[in-house]
Amino acid sequence: MKVLSGPTDHVVVVGAGLAGLSAALHLLGAGRRVTVVERDALPGGRAGRIERNGYRMDAGPTVLTMPDLVEECFAAVGERLGDRIELVALHPAYRARFADGTQLDVHTGAEAMEAEVERFAGPAAAAGYRRLRDWLEKLHRVQMRRFIDANFDSPLQLLHPDLARLAALGGFGRLDARVGRFLADERLRRVFTFQSLYAGVPPARALAAYAVIAYMDTVAGVYFPRGGMHALPQAMADAAADAGAEFRYGQDVTRLERAGDRITAVITDQERLPCDAVVLTPDLPVSYGLLGRRPRRPLALRHSPSAVVLHAGTDRTWPQLAHHTLSFGAAWQSTFHELTRTGRLMTDPSLLITRPTATDPGLAPPGRHLHYILAPCPNTDIGPGAREWQDLAPRYRDRLLATLDRRGLGGFGSAIEEECLVTPADWTAAGHAAGTPFATAHTFAQTGPFRPRNLVNGTENAVLAGCGTTPGVGVPTVLLSGKLAAARVTGPRPRRLASAAPRPAAKGVPA
């Protein structure tokens, strides 16, 4: 693995999102002096927070999986995750509601899920689920350390026995077809394939290897931090500060000072920060702009679909909603065609509805509730542009509310007391390429060693981290990107077990 040359004693990390905080903790654990520069007033980046009259709304991801990766970040500085934050295991992990009126609770426990699948679709489907779960576990074991938690310097690194094992498992087939070998029921297949949308590729075209995301969601467990998802980056920042990191909040990085191929200082709108190395976590176009370098690629980067998010603080809730509810429309293949091909807004949307106050009522005023409605939409490269969204936003909000009414959440609009609507126009204003927070899509040509590298030719002491670079999109992989960036600075460190496994509390979580 290639490691930065020259001195690396003082590292400036640009961005206090999950990738930057992960990098900071791993760098501190390796004895580096670390300064973190963040343009916002709080840590979190995409995992920020919106405060509205007692409603504390998570601005970014709402699903936390693979908490062992979070534990690894804290363990780097000799801490335990459980001493900083309480994780609540969600049961069910999701509730899936379908257009035909049926409902399925997605459990991560094998016996509970097998029983639920049998209730939902019969004993043959339950037997298929058992085989699918076994396949998902094998897929995860083969991929995690070799292809996900790994820095690539060359595609030749793929030539390993694990590649043959992945091929033998069918990892290079198509996701929907492979899952279909285990589950004939189309509704069940949706539950184990919708995750490919996180990777920006429809299930019919995604590599079966991306079923590893379904492993994270449906086998490894889904968790929620007490205090909301933003509590996670806040706890990571507190641990980093206690370990010696210096934080500069409310400062914009305007340029990088260079001497030949080395970055000598990070210049903000308020000060000059000399450094020996730098970790850049903004979106790729921003990082490339600061570096003055852009890698040559034979094809332009393709970006994932975007999303419209309606954050709503309401005076009531609806009992059919779990913490996470997947509301599927009747359409499926045509929905992905709209999102990734035609650029049309979903005519029959599938939605993620998150109700964090189901687990932590303290995120809203007494007797009030929080709801987070995420509707995937085309990115601005193929769909409406940022300027169009400024006019489109209120109309699309009304369409979302009408959809919720039709799906059993009657009176949702009239129940709203506080709200915030986020569209591709807002993602664009935040500096996200193509108006999407999900960065570059995980097509084959943008996966593993073919994904934009975390090193950029022409700069000896800079590393990239975040969802645009290796290993990719999602909270677990973004945490890994920070760890992998730190390894480029410090060299590989012996793999260590976390000091203690997280001890999530499951009580009080509705079934």
Side-chain angles (χ1 to χ4, degrees):
M1 179 187 75
K2 185 176 180 180
V3 179
L4 299 188
S5 61
T8 59
D9 296 331
H10 178 210
V11 184
V12 173
V13 177
V14 178
L18 292 174
L21 294 169
S22 172
L25 288 166
H26 286 287
L27 287 165
L28 289 162
R32 298 312 192 268
R33 177 184 161 211
V34 175
T35 302
V36 182
V37 184
E38 169 57 48
R39 65 182 177 183
D40 294 330
L42 294 170
R46 287 170 171 84
R49 169 164 284 169
I50 302 165
E51 302 266 359
R52 295 284 175 88
N53 291 324
Y55 290 100
R56 293 185 292 159
M57 307 170 180
D58 284 319
T62 64
V63 178
L64 177 62
T65 62
M66 305 294 286
D68 56 306
L69 298 178
V70 185
E71 188 76 57
E72 199 173 2
C73 294
F74 286 98
V77 292
E79 292 211 21
R80 294 175 68 256
L81 167 63
D83 293 336
R84 288 282 180 178
I85 195 169
E86 178 189 359
L87 293 188
V88 180
L90 299 185
H91 304 293
Y94 295 94
R95 176 166 293 155
R97 295 174 60 84
F98 300 94
D100 63 3
T102 56
Q103 176 176 297
L104 173 80
D105 280 353
V106 180
H107 301 284
T108 52
E111 292 183 3
M113 188 58 183
E114 183 179 334
E116 177 70 353
V117 171
E118 183 167 353
R119 177 201 65 79
F120 182 79
Y129 164 72
R130 287 195 299 271
R131 295 194 303 273
L132 172 63
R133 185 182 179 97
D134 179 65
W135 178 70
L136 291 173
E137 289 174 339
K138 291 176 180 175
L139 200 67
H140 174 257
R141 285 196 296 271
V142 167
Q143 288 192 79
M144 191 61 184
R145 292 304 183 190
R146 179 60 53 184
F147 303 117
I148 299 176
D149 187 4
N151 273 312
F152 285 96
D153 293 320
S154 165
L156 295 177
Q157 288 176 247
L158 290 173
L159 301 179
H160 183 275
D162 280 343
L163 185 68
R165 296 186 184 101
L166 182 58
L169 286 169
F172 297 107
R174 296 303 173 191
L175 176 62
D176 190 59
R178 176 58 58 169
V179 172
R181 293 190 178 191
F182 303 103
L183 301 172
D185 190 298
E186 191 263 354
R187 297 166 302 172
L188 287 175
R189 291 203 302 274
R190 291 190 188 191
V191 169
F192 292 95
T193 62
F194 82 90
Q195 296 89 352
S196 73
L197 187 59
Y198 301 155
V201 187
R205 291 193 288 117
L207 291 177
Y210 280 108
V212 72
I213 310 175
Y215 167 87
M216 296 175 185
D217 274 3
T218 68
V219 177
V222 176
Y223 297 82
F224 186 71
R226 187 75 67 185
M229 285 290 288
H230 178 70
L232 175 59
Q234 186 62 64
M236 293 174 70
D238 291 343
D242 288 348
E246 296 182 15
F247 283 81
R248 302 288 200 275
Y249 291 112
Q251 295 196 25
D252 265 319
V253 173
T254 57
R255 64 184 179 90
L256 302 177
E257 187 178 283
R258 302 179 69 98
D261 288 342
R262 295 191 67 83
I263 306 299
T264 55
V266 174
I267 311 300
T268 78
D269 53 1
Q270 299 179 34
E271 61 181 314
R272 177 182 181 272
L273 298 168
C275 64
D276 298 310
V278 62
V279 175
L280 298 169
T281 71
D283 241 20
L284 291 181
V286 177
S287 294
Y288 292 154
L290 288 170
L291 289 170
R293 306 284 190 277
R294 181 179 296 273
R296 294 181 180 179
R297 294 182 65 90
L299 298 173
L301 290 174
R302 286 180 53 191
H303 290 85
S304 296
S306 184
V308 174
V309 179
L310 174 62
H311 302 273
T314 63
D315 61 12
R316 57 169 293 203
T317 190
W318 290 260
Q320 64 266 42
L321 295 177
H323 186 111
H324 295 298
T325 300
L326 297 164
S327 176
F328 290 109
W332 189 238
Q333 299 300 340
S334 62
T335 291
F336 287 102
H337 190 70
E338 290 168 340
L339 290 172
T340 63
R341 294 294 190 183
T342 68
R344 185 180 181 186
L345 298 177
M346 290 184 293
T347 52
D348 185 15
S350 290
L351 309 172
L352 171 63
I353 304 170
T354 296
R355 182 167 64 106
T357 43
T359 303
D360 189 351
L363 295 171
R368 299 300 191 262
H369 307 270
L370 268 179
H371 299 86
Y372 166 111
I373 320 303
L374 184 147
C377 69
N379 63 47
T380 56
D381 282 345
I382 66 168
R387 288 187 179 181
E388 292 174 82
W389 270 108
Q390 294 174 3
D391 295 327
L392 179 59
R395 299 197 304 275
Y396 193 70
R397 170 196 178 272
D398 292 343
R399 285 173 57 180
L400 276 180
L401 294 178
T403 299
L404 296 175
D405 277 343
R406 290 194 303 271
R407 297 187 185 175
L409 276 62
F412 192 94
S414 61
I416 296 176
E417 294 184 333
E418 295 288 340
E419 70 176 279
C420 178
L421 185 72
V422 182
T423 75
D426 300 290
W427 304 124
T428 298
H432 302 319
T436 174
F438 303 116
T440 47
H442 283 262
T443 60
F444 180 79
Q446 296 177 175
T447 294
F450 309 112
R451 195 162 181 82
R453 295 179 66 213
N454 55 10
L455 296 178
V456 179
N457 290 336
T459 303
E460 294 181 357
N461 61 338
V463 192
L464 307 182
C467 57
T469 184
T470 187
V473 179
V475 172
T477 39
V478 163
L479 291 170
L480 284 174
S481 80
K483 173 188 170 184
L484 295 174
R488 291 290 196 184
V489 177
T490 66
R493 304 180 67 203
R495 294 198 186 278
R496 57 187 292 183
L497 295 176
S499 56
R503 295 175 293 176
K507 63 182 180 179
V509 183

